[in-house]
Each structure stands twice: as C-alpha cells, then as structure tokens.
Amino acid sequence: CVLLAVVGVTALRAWARLGRRELFLMCFSVLPIAALLCLSLVQRVEPNWSAAFYPAGVTLVVGWLLGQTSGLPRVAGGESALRRAVVVGVICVAVTYAVGFGAGLEGTPLDPAIRLRGWRLVGQDVGRRFATLPKPEESIVVVSASRAIASELAFYMPGQPPVYVWPEPGGPRSQYDIWGGPRDARGGDVMIVARRGEESARALRTAFKSIEPMADVVVPIGDNPRHELGLWHATGLREWPAPANRSAPSDERLD
C-alpha cells in the first residue's frame, strides 16, 4: 500500500514522461483509487469498490521496483524493497486469518471476521420458525431489512426457500431489486423478516390481508454485537409493488 502511494505520487510528477504502458496502469489503478479516496470523504465507500484497481497497481509497483518502467526514476534497492513488501503482506494475511479463527478476539470490535459470524445459527433458527407455517413448501420469505440479511438467509436456511427483498423507494439498490418479486405467491403465506424494532414501509403493511408477529430471533456473536431479527407471519399477498410505483416509507412499525 505504501509503495503504491509512493509510485503514484512519483508517476503523477513525471506524467509527461510516462510511456503508454505506465499511463495505462496509472489510469486503472492510482487515479480511480484516488477518486474513491476523495469520495470517501463525503459518503460511505465500501472497501471492495477499489478491488478492481489493485491488479494494475500491483503490476505498476512491481515494474517500478524492478526497473522495468519508462519515464519513472529507477529505485535503488528496488528488488529488496519488493521482497520486504511481499514478506509484510504474507505476515498481514496470516495474522488476519489467524485472528479471524481465534486469538480470543471473536465477537470483539477487533475481530476482522465479525460480519461473518452467527449467520448459520440465524438461518437455522429462522428456518425452524419458517417450518411452522401452514404450508412451508409453498411459502416464501420477504426481508424488509437489507440485502445482506436476505442473502445470508437464502444460503443458511434449511432447504433454501425463496427469499425476496421488499423494494425500497428511490430506485434499485441491489440485485434483489433487479430480480424482482415473486410471480406466483398471490394469496400465499409469507414470513416477513426485519431487524427487531425496525420501522417498516407502509406499503409492506398494506400489501397483505393480515400480519401477525411470530417471534424474535437473537443470536449473540460476542459480548455486545448480536443479530436481532423480528419475524411476522403474513397472509394474503395482494400484489408485489412495481419498481416505478414504490411507496414512501412510513414511521409505523411492524408490531
């Protein structure tokens, strides 16, 4: 990371002397990463957004340290610096994986795998509640919380029943919005999943003939953080909202 920042600044200062290969690598590494860095100052930026730009950045760094770039000053001891960078990278990766699997940090803010923990138990618990519906084989799951919860349930619930995300106003926010809703669930049973105590859109309440609370699912993953979901049994789905006719959110709760 440090070497990429150094070669980026060096290349920007020598921009007029760079060859075509170096300009290509800069345009697909340093420049977009710098743009995302600026964007992160005004809004939330996910770490994976920059992942596509690191292969070009690694290529540029290695070429620079081995003296294979045009227009950039040669680096004294570049090969040794590259070896040290590789060793540091391997150590960091090993420590990250080791901490994720143990080291007594499970469930703490220092746990790098905390976002991955607990979902198997959540899926199993929600699956047991789902099996109590009158006809679970003909029922679906509708998540009003987030695509992350929907994807975890779709993977970990026993039998992997159909899972959909209730569309929010303001246009597509994830692949679930592009896939759309159920095509043959009118009048059927639905399990609604939301974060416990979360506000729900009025359109979700009015889309069913009845909504009754089922249970709360709480799965601890450490001293403080935990997964907390509320489950409701809904019947009589009238119509899945079209993307262009999404309703505004309400301050009402599913209770």
Side-chain angles (χ1 to χ4, degrees):
C1 181
V2 173
L3 292 174
L4 180 58
V6 172
V7 72
V9 173
T10 303
L12 287 174
R13 296 177 63 180
W15 186 269
R17 301 190 300 272
L18 296 181
R20 295 180 61 189
R21 297 182 304 172
E22 291 72 25
L23 289 173
F24 177 87
L25 294 174
M26 282 288 292
C27 289
F28 284 93
S29 62
V30 174
L31 296 185
I33 291 176
L36 286 175
L37 178 62
C38 295
L39 186 63
S40 69
L41 301 177
V42 296
Q43 73 169 63
R44 176 175 175 173
V45 173
E46 300 293 347
N48 62 293
W49 290 6
S50 60
F53 308 125
Y54 278 99
V58 170
T59 304
L60 181 62
V61 167
V62 173
W64 175 56
L65 293 176
L66 297 182
Q68 300 296 319
T69 53
S70 174
L72 290 173
R74 295 184 65 88
V75 182
E79 190 170 343
S80 299
L82 181 59
R83 290 197 187 98
R84 290 194 296 270
V86 171
V87 171
V88 171
V90 170
I91 292 175
C92 289
V93 170
V95 170
T96 299
Y97 275 97
V99 171
F101 284 105
L105 298 177
E106 298 91 334
T108 69
L110 297 178
D111 182 3
I114 191 170
R115 294 176 63 185
L116 308 178
R117 300 193 187 279
W119 287 113
R120 183 183 300 276
L121 295 177
V122 171
Q124 293 173 352
D125 199 346
V126 174
R128 285 194 294 269
R129 314 285 185 175
F130 184 76
T132 64
L133 295 180
K135 296 181 179 180
E137 67 280 356
E138 300 177 7
S139 304
I140 63 173
V141 178
V142 173
V143 177
S144 67
S146 71
R147 61 178 175 85
I149 294 177
S151 60
E152 298 287 359
L153 293 179
F155 185 81
Y156 282 116
M157 285 183 66
Q160 297 185 329
V163 178
Y164 301 91
V165 173
W166 186 260
E168 300 180 9
R173 296 171 182 261
S174 73
Q175 190 67 29
Y176 280 97
D177 293 316
I178 298 175
W179 289 334
R183 298 182 180 180
D184 55 356
R186 288 177 64 101
D189 288 330
V190 173
M191 173 184 280
I192 298 176
V193 181
R195 293 189 181 92
R196 192 165 68 165
E198 182 184 63
E199 297 178 354
S200 179
R202 181 184 298 274
L204 178 59
R205 297 178 60 90
T206 59
F208 299 90
K209 292 181 180 179
S210 67
I211 299 180
E212 299 293 336
M214 291 182 62
D216 289 333
V217 173
V218 179
V219 175
I221 52 176
D223 295 335
N224 295 315
R226 55 185 178 179
H227 301 297
E228 297 181 312
L229 301 178
L231 309 181
W232 291 264
H233 177 204
T235 60
L237 175 62
R238 296 187 176 95
E239 186 177 6
W240 191 268
N245 299 320
R246 290 176 177 159
S247 303
S250 168
D251 59 356
E252 297 187 25
R253 297 177 182 269
L254 276 173
D255 52 24

